[in-house]
Amino acid sequence: MAEAAKTVEKSTLEADVTKYKVAADIVNNVMKKLVELCVEGAKVLDICVEGDKLLEQGTGAVYNKNVKGVKVPKGIAFPTCVSVNNCVAHFSPLQSDPASSQVLAKNDVVKLHIGAHIDGFAAVSAETLVVGASEEDPVTGRRADVLKAAWTAAEAAMRLVKVGNKNWSVTETVGKVTAAFDCKPVEGMLSCQQTQNVIDGKKRIILNPSEAQKKEFDAITFAENEVYGIDILVSSGEDGKARLEESRTTVFQKNSDVTYQLKMKTSRAVFFEVQKKAGAFPFNVRCLEDEKRARLGLQEATQHGLVKPYEVIYTPADTFVAGFHFTIALLPAGPVLITSPPVWYKPELVKTEKELQDEELKELLTKRLRQDRKSKKKKAKAEAAAAGTDAAPETDAAPEEKQ
């Protein structure tokens, strides 16, 4: 019976990972197109609208056969956000917003953030580019520092999110890596465990916590068969602190932990529309039928915690923020990166005089995400020889990691 249960668990997990990877392929294809759109003079609103359209088209083209008469839910897991320079995240304006006229300029530091899901299994990705940069005209100065700090920190985090490790090891390492570039992680930014229809699970990692957050934040251990969305956001500022400004919030998410009977008929209608169109995932007000009615309805729902806002926050005006988000699964055979490496970022595009000096961190970055079969077998034999025993035969090869 136990063996049968293990077989069922393994086959279910493999089916889930397949859906994660299909969603990730869609996200990666959309990201490539959005990177191409990020040119001097491009309108931020147009990029956001195009990104959401492409995500809908991509998910609409797969899993169209009903399973046992049931349609597989799919769609946007995180609406397209285009956050520029010192804007940290979640900027995705509406046509009616004053900020809808914003256009990209040469040397703007642009963060693209998108996500898609198949049957509730979400792949979310984010990356940073600099408008107009090329190998002939690479990124330099503080833009280069923050970009390299963020990507190096993301690479370190990938290698630390593995079975048996603790969340605080990621927090501390990201802080050490970014310090080498005179940068700071954005205070209080969270990375979360994912499950079906959940991208903000209870097991979390925090970046650059305040003293109060250090005392209150739970220590967790990464375990087998878990999936995490890792969000690395780094500021060129001295302390990484961010604040609200005048930008209107346009991205929200239904809060599954709260129940409340809405009083207004408009609020009930809007909340029903949210459940139907977005389910458990974040959505942009733009996807709702009537913007004015949606704003009114969301106001009551937000006040009573039925939906939560993804607020637009900023670091000081003379700073830059770079970010990378990846989705990683801790499979029995080892960690596997669900989403793809950055489309835009390449070392030759980013020239900084600052480098990582810590030998332990440099060694960490040389490690593969997953040890291959031969290395594991060799290590097992060496350990067995040292103990004077025979190594157990290895039967399952680790599937190739996605790099």
Side-chain angles (χ1 to χ4, degrees):
M1 285 290 288
E3 192 63 38
K6 282 184 179 179
T7 302
V8 170
E9 183 182 346
K10 184 177 180 182
S11 64
T12 302
L13 178 64
E14 287 172 350
D16 294 349
V17 170
T18 298
K19 291 172 183 174
Y20 275 120
K21 287 184 175 179
V22 171
D25 287 341
I26 293 165
V27 165
N28 191 48
N29 288 332
V30 173
M31 186 67 81
K32 287 177 183 175
K33 292 174 182 175
L34 295 185
V35 166
E36 291 172 1
L37 293 176
C38 290
V39 296
E40 191 173 353
K43 201 172 178 181
V44 168
L45 173 62
D46 292 344
I47 298 170
C48 292
V49 170
E50 183 67 10
D52 286 356
K53 184 182 83 172
L54 292 171
L55 289 169
E56 292 282 12
Q57 288 176 349
T59 54
V62 297
Y63 281 84
N64 287 320
K65 290 183 180 178
N66 292 355
V67 179
K68 296 180 180 178
V70 178
K71 187 177 180 182
V72 175
K74 52 194 176 162
I76 295 174
F78 206 96
T80 308
C81 295
V82 181
S83 307
V84 181
N85 292 330
N86 65 317
C87 180
V88 176
H90 311 144
F91 187 80
S92 188
L94 308 180
Q95 184 68 54
S96 61
D97 291 342
S100 65
S101 61
Q102 182 179 1
V103 297
L104 299 182
K106 183 173 172 55
N107 294 325
D108 273 347
V109 178
V110 180
K111 292 164 291 297
L112 299 170
H113 190 180
I114 58 176
H117 78 92
I118 303 294
D119 198 18
F121 298 101
V124 180
S125 182
E127 67 171 271
T128 305
L129 60 90
V130 174
V131 176
S134 64
E135 290 185 39
E136 295 74 30
D137 184 19
V139 186
T140 58
R142 293 302 280 157
R143 291 175 177 84
D145 294 342
V146 77
L147 257 168
K148 190 160 185 182
W151 176 240
T152 307
E155 287 203 287
M158 287 175 197
R159 289 156 174 79
L160 291 174
V161 180
K162 62 180 184 179
V163 175
N165 276 6
K166 306 279 187 183
N167 55 347
W168 284 110
S169 68
V170 179
T171 302
E172 291 164 5
T173 298
V174 169
K176 287 178 183 177
V177 169
T178 55
F181 299 90
D182 291 333
C183 295
K184 276 274 191 179
V186 177
E187 185 181 86
M189 290 295 105
L190 298 175
S191 297
C192 304
Q193 183 187 3
Q194 296 184 195
T195 53
Q196 188 174 25
N197 294 313
V198 176
I199 61 169
D200 52 354
K202 302 300 183 186
K203 295 179 87 169
R204 300 181 174 188
I205 302 162
I206 190 169
L207 298 185
N208 189 15
S210 64
E211 289 304 314
Q213 288 168 335
K214 285 179 184 176
K215 293 174 184 176
E216 298 167 3
F217 204 78
D218 292 334
I220 61 106
T221 303
F222 305 122
E224 193 172 283
N225 295 335
E226 292 180 341
V227 175
Y228 286 86
I230 306 300
D231 201 7
I232 304 296
L233 284 158
V234 178
S235 169
S236 63
E238 293 181 359
D239 55 15
K241 291 184 183 295
R243 62 185 185 277
L244 291 170
E245 290 191 0
E246 293 183 1
S247 295
R248 299 172 74 188
T249 301
T250 60
V251 179
F252 297 83
Q253 182 184 10
K254 188 184 80 167
N255 191 345
S256 58
D257 295 331
V258 176
T259 56
Y260 174 78
Q261 184 60 46
L262 292 164
K263 302 294 187 290
M264 293 171 55
K265 183 179 178 181
T266 297
S267 301
R268 293 195 297 271
V270 169
F271 190 64
F272 177 78
E273 187 182 1
V274 166
Q275 290 176 300
K276 183 179 178 182
K277 289 185 174 178
F281 293 101
F283 63 93
N284 192 300
V285 174
R286 198 167 44 241
C287 80
L288 302 179
E289 200 171 294
D290 184 303
E291 182 190 325
K292 188 175 180 181
R293 185 185 74 154
R295 284 283 188 194
L296 181 62
L298 286 171
Q299 189 173 5
E300 185 187 1
T302 302
Q303 285 172 350
H304 295 282
L306 279 179
V307 298
K308 59 182 181 182
Y310 280 78
E311 294 172 321
V312 185
I313 56 175
Y314 295 81
T315 55
D318 59 346
T319 62
F320 302 102
V321 176
F324 294 91
H325 187 122
F326 60 91
T327 307
I328 190 167
L330 307 185
L331 302 185
V336 62
L337 197 58
I338 298 293
T339 47
S340 297
V343 174
W344 183 88
Y345 185 93
K346 296 178 183 65
E348 55 268 28
L349 292 175
V350 180
K351 301 297 181 184
T352 170
E353 295 177 2
K354 298 179 174 64
E355 293 294 339
L356 196 60
Q357 301 297 332
D358 188 298
E359 293 301 325
E360 284 187 18
L361 293 177
K362 287 164 76 172
E363 184 183 353
L364 172 66
L365 293 171
T366 65
K367 293 180 179 178
R368 292 173 62 86
L369 292 189
R370 183 193 299 190
Q371 207 173 14
D372 62 34
R373 183 183 178 187
K374 289 180 181 178
S375 297
K376 288 167 74 176
K377 196 171 182 178
K378 188 175 180 181
K379 183 179 178 183
K381 280 185 177 180
E383 290 174 350
T389 61
D390 292 328
E394 187 169 342
T395 56
D396 294 327
E400 184 180 345
E401 65 182 86
K402 185 173 185 177
Q403 283 284 10

